[in-house]
Amino acid sequence: MSLNTQTPVQLLTSVTKFIFGKSLPPQLLISTVRTSWSTLWLLMMSQLAPSDPSGSYTRPTSQFLKPKLSNLNQMSLHLYAALPCPWAHRTLIVRALKGLEHVVPVSIASPGLDGSWVFKENENGIPGRDKTGQERDRLMPTRDKVSGVGTVREVYKMRKGGYDGRCTVPMLWDVVNKEVVCNESYDIIELLNSGFNDVARCPDLDLCPVELKGKIEEWNGVIYPNINNGVYRCGFAQSQEAYDTAVNELFSALDKVDDHLKGSRYLCGDKLTLADVCLFTTLIRFDLVYNVMFKCTKKKVVEYPSLHGYMRDIYQIPGVAETCNLEAMMDGYYKFLFPLNPGNIRPIMPTGSHHETLLQSHNRESLSTSQQSEQVLVS
């Protein structure tokens, strides 16, 4: 094979065989490459995942917070989301549970090679089908349904005065005024839960009832720093000490939640709340991605009987599974987070995360106090 017909990988292989023969590269070359890669890795990580002096990941704050309901035109809002992103997934679930698909349309971006969010049609060309051709009703990547631009960054830049900050999803966009309404996920799900009841298909569903607000905030105080953000603190740690701290706090929190769920169907009792939604979007990605790629290796969710059953319980709520594109979740991490997976090789999906496994019986309805009361009356 001539050199000009070889691929870059084949050409590199030919050159190294010519130089080194069958022996390993010299130690000097290995140490030089290792030092160079470590330096470049730290440089890339400093942009991807800002850290404090100890090497601990520090999540940047969102720039557009808590929209005022009085200033919103319900019928002019558009949601931008992405399937791999757990923060965006929160908004897709609450939108589905409240029955707001007809009120808040969505454009779904995909990860780009440069770390940005880009728009592209479903690569399979058939909505609702995965790469194997299996038909299943679920969300897929879309074009930008509002302006037809190619990236989420271009949408942000259309706001008055432009924008040069982080262009994240989820993001709620005012189509008429061309303005970012909010890009903080929790603020968006609070708005979707309570701000559209006059037009929602499920107005009676309240994921943050007043009587449970204190408990919800208490659980959020455990879940967000230690689990939601905790997996990222593990994966993006830039020192051994930072990783050790993050991974210990992560699994202490998971142990605490699993122990609580042994006697409670949901975090706050019989009612699904926003706290459950926030926990679920991390759990559904845990064995798929975080256990392997983010080094959260002490245990898998499938090894926690209560947590795995709880995750299946929520997955089986009508409307939730359709928001869970499991293949897109894996692709979004393994094929695009280059500093953590330079080879872009996606591992096989664990059996415990298969759609069919997630549909298996969980029997958690027996933990409901109403169900227990019925059993007492029958006996």
Side-chain angles (χ1 to χ4, degrees), residues 235-255:
F236 291 164
Q238 296 177 41
S239 72
Q240 186 67 52
E241 293 74 19
Y243 167 78
D244 290 342
T245 298
V247 79
N248 288 328
E249 291 176 353
L250 166 64
F251 283 98
S252 292
L254 288 174
D255 290 341

Side-chain angles (χ1 to χ4, degrees), residues 109-362:
S110 300
L113 293 175
D114 61 353
S116 65
W117 294 108
V118 303
F119 296 105
K120 54 187 178 183
E121 294 282 3
N122 173 15
E123 294 177 351
N124 305 300
I126 307 173
R129 291 195 179 183
D130 58 25
K131 292 180 179 179
T132 65
Q134 180 181 2
E135 189 165 2
R136 191 156 75 238
D137 188 16
R138 60 181 183 164
L139 292 174
M140 303 293 282
T142 71
R143 59 182 176 80
D144 173 22
K145 298 176 182 178
V146 176
S147 304
V149 297
T151 67
V152 170
R153 177 170 294 278
E154 291 176 84
V155 179
Y156 272 87
K157 285 184 173 293
M158 286 192 293
R159 66 184 297 268
K160 295 174 183 176
Y163 181 69
D164 292 322
R166 296 172 66 247
C167 299
T168 59
V169 293
M171 185 265 280
L172 201 58
W173 177 254
D174 186 326
V175 176
V176 173
N177 295 313
K178 293 187 176 181
E179 183 58 80
V180 177
V181 175
C182 184
N183 68 349
E184 167 51 50
S185 64
Y186 201 84
D187 290 348
I188 294 176
I189 61 176
E190 284 188 313
L191 174 64
L192 295 177
N193 176 60
S194 61
F196 297 85
N197 284 333
D198 55 332
V199 290
R201 292 196 178 102
C202 302
D204 295 331
L205 174 66
D206 188 356
L207 298 169
C208 192
V210 174
E211 67 272 16
L212 293 179
K213 194 169 181 63
K215 285 187 176 181
I216 292 170
E217 291 176 352
E218 182 179 338
W219 276 114
N220 285 341
V222 174
I223 293 164
Y224 172 75
N226 301 305
I227 300 177
N228 295 150
N229 199 44
V231 293
Y232 284 88
R233 290 170 56 216
C234 293
F236 291 164
Q238 296 177 41
S239 72
Q240 186 67 52
E241 293 74 19
Y243 167 78
D244 290 342
T245 298
V247 79
N248 288 328
E249 291 176 353
L250 166 64
F251 283 98
S252 292
L254 288 174
D255 290 341
K256 177 179 180 177
V257 174
D258 184 68
D259 186 63
H260 172 75
L261 291 173
K262 290 176 182 176
S264 179
R265 184 171 185 181
Y266 301 116
L267 289 172
C268 298
D270 291 350
K271 287 189 175 182
L272 183 81
T273 66
L274 294 181
D276 296 296
V277 173
C278 293
L279 177 57
F280 173 81
T281 59
T282 295
L283 294 182
I284 196 69
R285 289 164 174 77
F286 197 93
D287 292 1
L288 291 173
V289 177
Y290 305 140
N291 176 257
V292 177
M293 193 173 184
F294 283 10
K295 306 181 185 72
C296 303
T297 48
K298 185 177 180 180
K299 290 177 73 173
K300 296 180 179 180
V301 168
V302 74
E303 297 176 60
Y304 288 97
S306 298
L307 271 177
H308 196 249
Y310 164 86
M311 184 177 75
R312 299 200 308 276
D313 188 0
I314 297 176
Y315 185 84
Q316 294 172 29
I317 295 173
V320 173
E322 289 78 9
T323 69
C324 301
N325 189 322
L326 304 173
E327 291 83 4
M329 291 178 192
M330 294 187 74
D331 282 347
Y333 287 88
Y334 289 109
K335 292 186 177 295
F336 292 94
L337 276 182
F338 171 76
L340 299 185
N341 190 36
N344 295 334
I345 295 173
R346 191 188 88 178
I348 192 169
M349 183 181 294
T351 305
S353 298
H354 285 184
H355 174 68
E356 294 74 19
T357 304
L358 295 173
L359 293 180
Q360 291 178 359
S361 175
H362 51 76

Side-chain angles (χ1 to χ4, degrees), residues 75-136:
M75 306 313 293
S76 72
L77 298 181
H78 192 88
L79 178 64
Y80 286 94
L83 299 175
C85 175
W87 317 99
H89 194 185
R90 299 175 171 189
T91 66
L92 295 173
I93 290 176
V94 175
R95 171 178 173 267
L97 293 176
K98 291 290 292 187
L100 292 171
E101 295 91 339
H102 65 296
V103 179
V104 184
V106 63
S107 294
I108 299 179
S110 300
L113 293 175
D114 61 353
S116 65
W117 294 108
V118 303
F119 296 105
K120 54 187 178 183
E121 294 282 3
N122 173 15
E123 294 177 351
N124 305 300
I126 307 173
R129 291 195 179 183
D130 58 25
K131 292 180 179 179
T132 65
Q134 180 181 2
E135 189 165 2
R136 191 156 75 238

